[in-house]
């Protein structure tokens, strides 16, 4: 009896340890959320609660309209103050996720008698969702390599400068909520892959729908997941869980995506989505082959699989032919300009100068990687190696994620934002594995490993796939049978073998005590440098709003509020119906802050209209007057920063006005605006 009662205290101790670990994990996650929110408030502390950049002002204006007039008026809103005289249908041309999210938050808060303004809600939406993104990163990484790696990845994402640059207080852009939607969609995909649950598969489709509503980067999801599914099929890792994780996403996700007005039938007619449909057919062929294999004899199976594969090849050929016929009429093959710029980095500079003129569409430099992800660049390779020991469906997905995001970030600096979560996940896995090895070595060297390592369960192991789970279930059944037939001695034998293997494995990973202590100290120093860099980037590099300029001199800090003063002057000294012409960069701000009609704005949907303004800007006064007069323009806004050295004025942008104008009007030639002073040439 004593031998039977002795395991109870050990089981109680283990249960208490797990409960304490869960409570501690929740507390750490709360602190990570507070850190993610607070580190993004430097702009509010140093300046004031103000919207940053250009695009956020349009989103703020749309949110104001939504909160004032309701959602039905929003869907049917025709804005006659933009793109004069064309106008713009707002409800059908915007990704509504950010606006609907902030509008819902504002409505809920006011329903609870918390009278916050729309502007305040817009300013703090991004910091709040950065906390959500950190928690989603924890969930995703936990599914891959356990809770320890998840906590490390979450705290890294909470501070990574690349994500801070798009989520500081006042940065009210689509990426404020889209990065959370991206990570959460990937988490639900991996969760479905590990569990085979239709419930999580449905949630995955809904999360994908939220991502489609929020950002055009949803095409990254609908191409990355099919690539992973195809990789699993090719490497022989097909399972029913893979089918459940993918098939509902394609069917339900595509149907929901088509409900978003800005996407519509593009969800089935553009080339960005064709890969998902082809893989959808392939996975059904493979599923049918596996089903036939289970019900037929080997001889009949060879005949049946030949027939199924032949029919599948014919169906794939027909589908490919239909897709080719659909895109044959398009000069770009059904791809959008931004997608072609990612596939061919030189495409935009050759054919679409309006895309190439945007600074965030330029390829990054090597220093920008160190600026935006810092020491994570050195930890990512270690995380990739850790994902291969052992390699599972979930770990292969994050490896594919980091590989693709590294490529796309090298093409366009804006997509460093997509790289940041992948780098944090890989770095979190690397740090967690390193700490396990070093602390385990210290415990073993100090003599405490004999008890702790044998009894404690390693919480940082990745979830097992179906094969390993099936083996475990079979092992348990065998143990039960042996216990009923051959007694308790043989019942203990299968249970003892894994512990011997685990002991041998842990002994192989034991490092010298001095080496382990030095390595731990180095990792702590590396983390300290990362924290210092992230706080500096948040406070100095990414918190200054572009609408408020600052300059440091011997006299101290000088603040230039010229932009808001000029917009206020337009608002108070011009008629409501006056039209203002400017380069497209300032269109959103002019409409939102001055409430005046503009000719072009940052939507850049009509290249001919922008080229007309570029032609006027680069023409002699008489020709420019005729162009502006034909557009009923009364005021022209030109930004000149030569006096204070402002580098982003219209003089520096003038060459793009010439290039874009010359792309539509042949009489504008770039060579006519370039001069070469031969006297400066020395031999």
């Amino acid at each position: 009896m004593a031998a039977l009662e002795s395991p109870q205290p050990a089981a109680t101790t283990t249960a208490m340890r797990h409960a304490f670990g869960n409570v501690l994990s929740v507390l750490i996650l709360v602190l990570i959320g507070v850190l993610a929110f607070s580190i993004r408030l430097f702009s509010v502390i140093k300046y004031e609660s103000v919207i940053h950049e250009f695009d956020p002002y349009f989103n703020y204006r749309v949110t104001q309209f939504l909160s004032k007039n309701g959602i039905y008026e929003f869907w049917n809103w025709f804005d006659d103050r933009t793109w004069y005289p064309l106008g713009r249908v707002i409800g059908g041309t915007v990704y509504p996720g950010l606006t609907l999210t902030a509008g819902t938050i504002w409505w809920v808060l006011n329903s609870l008698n918390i009278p916050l303004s729309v502007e305040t809600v817009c300013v703090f939406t991004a910091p709040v969702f950065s906390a959500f993104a950190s928690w989603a990163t924890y969930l995703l990484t936990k599914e891959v390599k356990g809770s320890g790696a998840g906590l490390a990845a979450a705290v890294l994402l909470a501070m990574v400068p690349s994500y801070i640059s798009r989520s500081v207080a006042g940065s009210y852009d689509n990426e404020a909520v889209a990065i959370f939607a991206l990570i959460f969609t990937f988490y639900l995909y991996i969760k479905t892959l590990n569990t085979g649950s239709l419930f999580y598969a449905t949630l995955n489709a809904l999360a994908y729908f939220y991502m489609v509503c929020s950002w055009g980067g949803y095409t990254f999801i609908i191409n990355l997941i099919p690539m992973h599914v195809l990789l699993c099929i090719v490497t022989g890792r097909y399972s029913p869980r893979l089918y459940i994780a993918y098939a509902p996403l394609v069917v339900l996700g595509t149907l929901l995506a088509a409900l978003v007005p800005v996407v519509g039938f593009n969800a089935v007619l553009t080339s960005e989505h064709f890969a998902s449909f082809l893989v959808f057919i392939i996975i059904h062929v493979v599923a049918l082959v596996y089903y036939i294999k289970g019900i037929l004899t080997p001889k009949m199976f060879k005949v049946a699989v030949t027939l199924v594969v032949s029919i599948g090849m014919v169906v794939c050929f027909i589908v490919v032919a239909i897709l080719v016929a659909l895109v044959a009429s398009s000069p770009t093959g059904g791809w959008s300009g931004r997608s072609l710029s990612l596939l061919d980095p030189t495409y935009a500079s050759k054919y679409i100068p309006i895309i190439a003129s945007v600074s965030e569409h330029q390829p990054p430099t090597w220093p920008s990687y160190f600026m935006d992800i810092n020491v994570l660049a050195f930890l990512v390779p270690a995380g990739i190696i850790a994902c291969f020991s052992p390699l599972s469906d979930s770990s292969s997905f994050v490896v594919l994620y980091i590989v693709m995001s590294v490529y796309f970030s090298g093409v366009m600096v804006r997509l460093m934002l997509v790289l940041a979560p992948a780098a944090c996940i890989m770095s979190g896995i690397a740090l967690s594995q390193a700490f396990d090895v070093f602390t385990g070595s210290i415990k073993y060297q100090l003599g405490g490993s004999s008890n702790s390592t044998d009894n404690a369960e390693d919480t940082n192991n990745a979830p097992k796939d179906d094969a390993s789970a099936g083996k475990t279930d079979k092992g348990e059944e065998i143990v039960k049978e042996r216990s009923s037939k051959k007694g308790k001695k043989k019942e203990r034998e299968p249970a003892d073998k894994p512990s011997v293997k685990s002991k041998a494995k842990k002994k192989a990973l034991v490092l010298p005590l001095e080496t382990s202590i030095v390595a731990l100290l180095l990792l702590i120093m590396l983390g300290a440098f990362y924290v210092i860099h992230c706080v500096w980037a948040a406070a100095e590099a990414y918190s200054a709003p572009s609408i408020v300029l600052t300059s440091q001199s011997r006299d101290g800090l000088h603040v230039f509020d010229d932009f808001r003063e000029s917009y206020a002057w337009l608002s108070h000294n011009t008629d409501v119906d006056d039209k203002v012409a400017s380069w497209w960069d300032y269109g959103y701000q002019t409409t939102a802050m001055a409430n005046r009609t503009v000719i072009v704005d940052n939507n850049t949907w009509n290249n001919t209209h922008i080229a007309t303004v570029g032609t006027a800007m680069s023409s002699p006064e008489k020709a420019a007057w005729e162009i502006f007069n034909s557009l009923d323009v009364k005021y022209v806004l030109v930004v000149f920063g030569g006096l204070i050295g402002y580098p982003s004025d219209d003089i520096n942008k003038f060459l793009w006005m010439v290039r874009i104008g010359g792309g539509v009007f042949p009489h504008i030639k770039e060579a006519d605006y370039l001069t070469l002073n031969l006297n400066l040439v020395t031999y």
Side-chain angles (χ1 to χ4, degrees), residues 257-281:
L259 297 178
V260 183
V262 70
V263 177
F265 286 104
N266 289 334
V268 293
L269 295 179
T270 55
S271 299
E272 286 91 344
H273 304 81
F274 290 166
S276 62
F277 302 141
L278 290 176
V279 175
F280 184 74
I281 296 174

Side-chain angles (χ1 to χ4, degrees), residues 48-106:
E48 60 178 299
S49 180
V50 61
I51 304 293
H52 294 200
E53 302 301 332
F54 301 102
D55 290 359
Y57 273 95
F58 169 76
N59 297 326
Y60 166 56
R61 177 169 171 257
V62 173
T63 308
Q64 276 187 317
F65 184 90
L66 173 66
S67 60
K68 182 179 179 181
N69 299 283
I71 189 170
Y72 292 106
E73 293 294 330
F74 163 71
W75 290 124
N76 299 296
W77 179 24
F78 178 79
D79 187 8
D80 58 354
R81 291 195 173 276
T82 59
W83 292 92
Y84 181 83
L86 305 176
R88 178 184 176 186
V89 180
I90 299 297
T93 58
V94 299
Y95 289 95
L98 176 67
T99 301
L100 295 177
T101 300
T104 302
I105 294 174
W106 175 85

